[in-house]
Amino acid sequence: MRGPFAYREGRLSAGPVALAEIAAAVGTPVFVYSADGILARYRDIAGALARERLEATVCYAVKANPHLAIVSALAAAGAGADVVSAGELLRARRAGVPGGRIVFAGVGKTEAEMAAGLEAGILQFNVESEAELVILDRVARDKGLQAPVALRVNPDVDARTHAKITTGTSENKFGIDHAQAGRVARLAHELPGIDLQGLAVHIGSQLVDLAPYGLAFEKVAQLFAELRASGLPLRRLDLGGGIGISYRDERPPEVADYARLAARTVGHLGVPLIFEPGRWMVGDAGVLLTRVLFVKQGAAKRFLIVDAAMNDLIRPTLYDAWHDIVPLERPEPEAPGGPVDVVGPICESGDIFAADRALPPMAAGDLLAICSAGAYGATMSSTYNSRLPAPEVLVGGADWAVIKARPDHATLLAQEWVPRWATQAFRGEVEGEEPQASGSRAAS
Ligand code: LLP
């Protein structure tokens, strides 16, 4: 089994807690996370970097799993945060991450987001374009402040990952072209509202090979050394995130090797480093529990129709991602496995978690865990087909708690308004009357 989950007395468990117990109490679908698993990852990476004698801050990429309980647990352990929106910034602050440990990344920050970052006294903005730099300068000067900035450089290195999560090639929208970085850095240094402090690089997500990291880190280290030699006061380097996990049979790098690579390629610069891991911290530490609704034998295929769907976990639909699927009750070793498609109830053929997957015989009512769902799971979910968001549960030691309840339909419907004219206009048309004038701000 993956991450912190294992069969215990035949039942899939997180430590002493059987996941079936949670499913019975909370219902399905439900995301379950292991706090112990997440904190172990934080200790692993912080320890590996310390052993290489690197002065490093691990800024957890909040986007991977932004739940307040998870960000809070990591903050309490000493992690910083990598945020990409005002909402993530607010979460990080609420979770107790000090402003001085927050990096604000993202290719399209609004002026309001820049202002929020300045007010929170964040460690740095990772700036991705000259246009952004000019606006940030003005926003900071308007406040009588200087914005701490790292320029994100695009090293034009192919991370050899899925096209939708590759970010470091010249074809991608991210970062400042390597060849333009010197000019933009000098501009940053001259702008009175900008305090140019460093460089940043991030080449993609779910990297299972160290080689592209090596290329990118070497390129950015060389640029860093050149710019510093030319008189720019660079004093910090952000190496981004992206360390992969094993969803199927990938062999991602050991974090000790990753730390060694960082030490070898950028250690000689002698500056504090920032790392922005997201998936690696939380991916393996989460599962999505789902119940089989029906078993359906089609003409060509056998389907397990489950109560989770693409709105809960969109990765298989969006990236053709493989997620292991295992029964909550350990199957007999010689149980005859047959190929099945594990599908959700949504009215799209793309609503599929696995095709032709070998699973032991399952019946309606049986429980399954969709593995490696701790990262980019709940956070990318939607209410498509008016399905309720799945609740979230955190297990820590022998305790577990619902950290996000399943809302009811009434709560979701209460967020929507029907302006009176919408129905009147329709009636008017039917009855041949003039539709009521629009533009009124009244909501009812
Ligand atoms: N730093 C930056 C600037 C990023 O853009 C990202 C992720 C990270 C750090 C964290 O990357 P990680 O360590 O989690 O790989 N939804 C996709 C992944 C999108 C990643 C976006 N950027 C998925 O489900 O695979």
Side-chain angles (χ1 to χ4, degrees), residues 57-436:
T57 305
V58 176
C59 289
Y60 166 61
V62 171
K63 64 170 81 68
N65 188 326
H67 194 288
L68 273 180
I70 286 174
V71 186
S72 299
L74 286 167
D82 155 32
V83 303
V84 291
S85 69
E88 287 192 355
L89 174 61
L90 180 65
R91 276 174 186 279
R93 297 291 290 130
R94 263 304 151 77
V97 183
R101 284 178 165 274
I102 296 178
V103 170
F104 201 142
V107 69
K109 306 170 191 78
T110 65
E111 291 190 26
E113 288 177 323
M114 294 174 183
L118 288 164
E119 282 156 22
I122 64 166
L123 179 66
Q124 72 186 35
F125 291 90
N126 289 357
V127 168
E128 303 218 13
S129 66
E130 190 174 336
E132 179 189 346
L133 193 64
V134 170
I135 304 288
L136 180 58
D137 168 60
R138 179 169 52 69
V139 174
R141 278 189 289 113
D142 285 351
K143 290 184 166 298
L145 294 170
Q146 265 201 322
V149 160
L151 289 187
R152 175 168 172 187
V153 180
N154 183 328
D156 196 16
V157 169
D158 185 353
R160 295 186 221 152
T161 179
H162 191 285
K164 285 187 180 153
I165 48 177
T166 288
T167 56
T169 78
S170 54
E171 301 286 308
N172 302 126
K173 68 183 174 186
F174 299 98
I176 295 167
D177 180 51
H178 197 259
Q180 298 179 25
R183 183 180 57 75
V184 181
R186 274 183 292 280
L187 170 67
H189 185 49
E190 280 157 22
L191 291 171
I194 300 290
D195 179 10
L196 177 65
Q197 302 190 344
L199 298 183
V201 68
H202 171 81
I203 55 173
S205 192
Q206 181 55 10
L207 270 72
V208 290
D209 186 357
L210 276 180
Y213 274 128
L215 288 175
F217 292 176
E218 274 165 13
K219 266 193 169 178
V220 76
Q222 194 181 347
L223 182 68
F224 192 101
E226 280 168 21
L227 296 179
R228 193 168 56 177
S230 78
L232 294 174
L234 299 183
R235 50 194 186 276
R236 196 160 51 237
L237 182 56
D238 181 340
L239 294 178
I243 316 173
I245 62 175
S246 180
Y247 284 98
R248 188 177 186 178
D249 50 13
E250 307 90 329
R251 306 199 54 171
E254 294 292 327
V255 74
D257 295 332
Y258 173 77
R260 204 166 303 126
L261 178 77
R264 180 168 64 70
T265 51
V266 311
H268 61 280
L269 296 170
V271 293
L273 302 176
I274 293 171
F275 294 88
E276 303 170 351
R279 185 192 319 265
W280 187 82
M281 303 273 279
V282 294
D284 287 333
V287 287
L288 173 60
L289 305 185
T290 185
R291 193 178 286 280
V292 177
L293 295 174
F294 310 112
V295 180
K296 173 173 169 176
Q297 181 64 56
K301 290 218 171 200
R302 191 174 173 81
F303 298 98
L304 291 187
I305 302 170
V306 298
D307 65 0
M310 64 188 268
N311 73 299
D312 301 304
L313 177 69
I314 201 168
R315 300 194 72 260
T317 306
L318 193 56
Y319 312 118
D320 292 321
W322 171 291
H323 284 256
D324 256 2
I325 301 180
V326 297
L328 257 54
E329 261 182 57
R330 184 175 13 217
E332 298 299 324
E334 63 283 356
V340 288
D341 281 14
V342 182
V343 300
I346 284 184
C347 314
E348 297 204 25
S349 300
D351 183 24
I352 176 166
F353 290 115
D356 300 320
R357 190 69 66 88
L359 276 179
M362 303 292 295
D366 287 350
L367 290 163
L368 294 166
I370 303 178
C371 300
S372 316
Y376 306 110
T379 187
M380 292 178 75
S381 69
S382 73
T383 56
Y384 185 41
N385 274 210
S386 290
R387 289 168 51 84
L388 294 173
E392 294 170 78
V393 165
L394 188 66
V395 182
D399 292 330
W400 62 269
V402 175
I403 55 173
K404 189 169 178 204
R406 196 189 313 276
D408 58 15
H409 286 291
T411 308
L412 293 190
L413 287 179
Q415 296 171 353
E416 297 177 22
W417 282 101
V418 181
R420 195 160 34 159
W421 52 258
T423 51
Q424 283 179 343
F426 176 69
R427 266 199 298 277
E429 210 179 292
V430 172
E431 292 161 14
E433 293 167 8
E434 283 297 302
Q436 188 164 310

